[in-house]
Amino acid sequence: MKFIKRHLSIIFPLMAILLGLEFFIAFDRTTKQYEKSLQDEYSMLIVSKDEMSIDDITAWDKHIIKIEDINKSEIIGKINQAMEVNSTTDAKIKSAIPNFYAAKIDKYLDTTELQKIKTNLLKNPQISRVETFDSVYKSNYGLFSFIKFSFRTFIIFMSIIGFFLIIKQMEVWNYIHAQRMRVMEIFGAPLLFRSKVLIRVAIIDAIIASFITSFVFWYLQYIVIANGNITILDENIGSVFSVGDIFILLFTSLFIALTAVLIVVMNIKEE
Amino acid sequence: MSDVIVANNLTLAYQNGEDIIKDATFSIQRGDFVFITGLSGSGKSTLLKSIYGNLKPKNGSLKVGGLDMSNIFKPQLQQLRTNLGIVFQDYKLINEWTVEENVVLPLMIAGYSKEIQATQARRLLHHVKLSGKESKYPLELSGGEQQRVGVARALSKNPLMILADEPTGNLDEYSSNVIWDLMENACDQLKTTIVVVTHKIPNIFNIPYRHFMIENKAIYEVH
């Protein structure tokens, strides 16, 4: 019982930090994918008097990466059908109707930045109107930013609690191991020998914590999400957890545990 | 005989800077059995601490095994300590280790094999009359028994020198006699240098010894 308690008291805080870290990595990866899809689906409308090329537009704002010409003849065709116009009127309509472009942006931007793009583009005298479709974009962006912020706050709190628990555990280690280390030092034991027991505990617990965390995420990816019909994650299921994450978790876990050991050992001074 | 400890105008001080031993000059040779006596708070234990490198001299010089204790590096100090056996009045045993593990601590540090450790532990525990208590823990033993474990630990690596701080301070006569016998034998047969801080020299002592006394911050050789 004492043995299990001794190990759990470091495994739990390590896991809190590792879960926080892996949630962060997974969330960042999945939201990047989601941001990309939102960005791909989004385009702003540019209306110009004359025909324009992509270079004409990027000269006014670098965020525009692609423009698609919205076919004028389709619009004219619809007008002709509705109004039953003759060929003279048709030519007049053709010359009167401006050019329409759907513009894609380089990344997922907030509405203030969209407004900046709009202002920049309107400086071009050829551009008569820019429609950013703010309201739809704003609701998507607002909800998405709120989820992102809440999740990151939760992760930060979880990690802080994990760190506090590790500090507490360092105090416990100091209490348990100080006497033995001091006696060993009196008899000439080098630092590595004195801290051997603690290093062993730290390495074992760090490995256990990182593998449990990896398993939790593997389970989330292949069991919970795979069967859960979570729309936002369905398309990005592979970005929740990857094998490379095991090494990130293991390295982080070992780094934290061994740093804690080193601090404890260095702080134990001979009486 | 070669000098093992040499002090020249040695001054030792408390952490607050107040001198406790001033301008002491003495030397101890290999195979000497030395008693250091003095009143409580006279600086006996402080002198012992400075010999095993727990306290640096304030002034003057102190050489132990040829090493200058004022400018000793950590690895040198560790090396020196592996050649010392130290006995404390409060035993300083590792309570979560068995008696056997405590006894062989210096052998573990030196990297001796498990077989040698076990043989040496059995031999020493027999000498300190604790055979059969190998797997007990220190807190399961009496004070006298714990101190005998401490002495066995000090002797386990056949050190060049044993430093003992009030080794029989609170012990019964039987345990005290066992400890003195062991120390006499180590000094007589293995030529181990032994420095014992005590408030009382035993009435019956079977080998020649030297007696230093600390009084008014000075060290005198009285015997």
Side-chain angles (χ1 to χ4, degrees):
Chain A
M1 197 64 201
K2 208 172 152 187
F3 173 83
I4 295 170
K5 209 173 145 192
R6 194 182 293 172
H7 282 276
L8 287 182
S9 54
I10 185 71
I11 290 173
F12 273 139
L14 274 177
M15 273 186 67
I17 295 170
L18 295 184
L19 283 171
L21 174 72
E22 184 56 27
F23 266 123
F24 189 86
I25 295 171
F27 189 73
D28 204 50
R29 256 192 317 239
T30 34
T31 53
K32 264 192 186 136
Q33 293 282 336
Y34 187 65
E35 271 179 9
K36 179 97 178 55
S37 67
L38 285 179
Q39 179 202 326
D40 290 346
E41 283 164 19
Y42 174 78
S43 55
M44 61 173 65
L45 181 73
I46 299 171
V47 182
S48 72
K49 289 167 198 156
D50 299 325
E51 280 192 11
M52 295 186 88
S53 69
I54 179 71
D55 294 335
D56 297 333
I57 290 176
T58 50
W60 295 90
D61 197 290
K62 298 281 179 208
H63 284 298
I64 309 291
I65 50 163
K66 190 181 168 191
I67 53 165
E68 277 170 24
D69 189 8
I70 298 170
N71 200 347
K72 250 195 210 179
S73 42
E74 270 181 36
I75 302 166
I76 293 166
K78 279 178 189 170
I79 295 170
N80 288 348
Q81 271 181 1
M83 297 175 67
E84 293 175 0
V85 292
N86 57 32
S87 58
T88 323
T89 322
D90 179 56
K92 277 184 185 170
I93 291 170
K94 248 184 197 172
S95 63
I97 284 184
N99 298 286
F100 295 93
Y101 298 99
K104 296 278 179 194
I105 49 177
D106 59 347
K107 59 182 173 191
Y108 197 66
L109 301 167
D110 65 21
T111 46
T112 324
E113 282 172 295
L114 290 182
Q115 282 306 315
K116 266 189 205 162
I117 297 175
K118 184 178 178 177
T119 316
N120 287 340
L121 293 177
L122 287 173
K123 283 177 191 164
N124 183 339
Q126 296 300 315
I127 296 173
S128 57
R129 196 184 160 108
V130 175
E131 183 52 67
T132 55
F133 304 107
D134 266 10
S135 57
V136 182
Y137 191 86
K138 206 172 180 176
S139 66
N140 277 344
Y141 186 84
L143 178 68
F144 186 61
S145 300
F146 175 72
I147 295 170
K148 210 167 171 176
F149 173 76
S150 313
F151 208 74
R152 283 193 174 158
T153 310
F154 167 71
I155 288 166
I156 289 167
F157 268 104
M158 212 161 120
S159 304
I160 289 171
I161 289 169
F163 272 110
F164 274 114
L165 287 172
I166 286 194
I167 289 168
K168 198 82 209 146
Q169 183 57 27
M170 283 162 69
E171 285 171 14
V172 174
W173 274 345
N174 192 311
Y175 177 75
I176 297 173
H177 300 278
Q179 182 231 14
R180 190 189 66 247
M181 288 191 190
R182 285 193 185 113
V183 173
M184 286 177 166
E185 192 171 8
I186 289 170
F187 284 89
L191 188 112
L192 203 63
F193 186 92
R194 298 199 300 268
S195 45
K196 205 161 68 179
V197 176
L198 259 181
I199 289 175
R200 198 187 302 140
V201 169
I203 290 176
I204 291 171
D205 292 352
I207 292 171
I208 293 172
S210 50
F211 277 100
I212 294 176
T213 312
S214 302
F215 176 76
V216 168
F217 274 84
W218 176 87
Y219 184 80
L220 277 177
Q221 175 163 300
Y222 291 103
I223 312 292
V224 178
I225 297 168
N227 303 322
N229 296 323
I230 305 166
T231 328
I232 188 172
L233 291 172
D234 264 354
E235 293 158 17
N236 311 315
I237 194 161
S239 50
V240 174
F241 183 69
S242 76
V243 180
D245 293 358
I246 299 174
F247 297 102
I248 296 173
L249 293 175
L250 189 61
F251 175 78
T252 311
S253 177
L254 283 171
F255 178 77
I256 294 169
L258 291 175
T259 307
V261 168
L262 195 68
I263 293 169
V264 170
V265 175
M266 301 294 260
N267 277 324
I268 294 175
K269 300 269 182 256
E270 209 177 315
E271 283 169 333
Chain B
M1 285 286 183
S2 59
D3 288 336
V4 180
I5 301 172
V6 181
N8 272 313
N9 301 316
L10 175 69
T11 299
L12 300 174
Y14 290 122
Q15 276 191 335
N16 64 12
E18 188 198 336
D19 292 345
I20 184 158
I21 287 173
K22 214 166 158 56
D23 292 330
T25 298
F26 62 89
S27 67
I28 294 171
Q29 282 79 40
R30 179 156 185 237
D32 278 356
F33 199 117
V34 179
F35 284 108
I36 299 172
T37 61
L39 297 173
S40 295
S42 60
K44 306 187 292 288
S45 299
T46 309
L47 177 62
L48 214 61
K49 276 186 175 183
S50 70
I51 295 172
Y52 68 82
N54 188 256
L55 179 76
K56 286 203 170 181
K58 183 182 171 189
N59 280 316
S61 84
L62 175 67
K63 286 190 174 175
V64 180
L67 294 167
D68 182 357
M69 301 306 280
S70 302
N71 302 304
I72 193 163
F73 293 108
K74 199 92 186 168
Q76 290 176 308
L77 184 62
Q78 283 169 355
Q79 185 59 40
L80 172 71
R81 285 180 176 182
T82 58
N83 291 309
L84 301 179
I86 309 174
V87 182
F88 297 92
Q89 187 176 12
D90 61 353
Y91 327 129
K92 291 207 191 309
L93 299 176
I94 298 170
N95 292 330
E96 65 269 23
W97 283 12
T98 63
V99 164
E100 181 173 336
E101 287 167 335
N102 269 286
V103 169
V104 298
L105 172 64
L107 300 177
M108 283 184 196
I109 295 169
Y112 283 83
S113 70
K114 293 266 180 210
E115 290 74 30
I116 294 175
Q117 289 179 27
T119 313
Q120 185 74 330
R122 270 197 303 277
R123 190 180 70 77
L124 284 161
L125 287 172
H126 172 73
H127 283 313
V128 295
K129 321 279 189 245
L130 287 173
S131 292
K133 300 210 171 179
E134 290 84 354
S135 52
K136 294 261 183 206
Y137 288 89
L139 296 177
E140 296 172 330
L141 305 178
S142 70
E145 288 174 323
Q146 287 189 55
Q147 189 59 298
R148 281 185 268 152
V149 174
V151 173
R153 178 180 62 187
L155 289 165
S156 69
K157 207 180 145 254
N158 297 327
L160 297 174
M161 179 163 44
I162 290 177
L163 306 173
D165 189 1
E166 303 274 11
T168 58
N170 304 313
L171 304 189
D172 56 273
E173 202 182 336
Y174 174 77
S175 290
S176 299
N177 289 339
V178 170
I179 288 166
W180 292 131
D181 280 349
L182 275 169
M183 289 200 184
E184 279 177 12
N185 285 337
C187 183
D188 192 37
Q189 290 165 22
L190 302 170
K191 296 289 167 237
T192 308
T193 307
I194 298 186
V195 180
V196 179
V197 160
T198 182
H199 60 276
K200 188 175 174 289
I201 297 172
N203 295 330
I204 304 161
F205 207 70
N206 304 313
I207 59 166
Y209 65 89
R210 295 169 70 189
H211 177 194
F212 290 174
M213 201 163 90
I214 304 179
E215 203 174 63
N216 298 325
K217 300 180 183 177
I219 299 179
Y220 308 97
E221 183 160 7
V222 289
H223 177 76

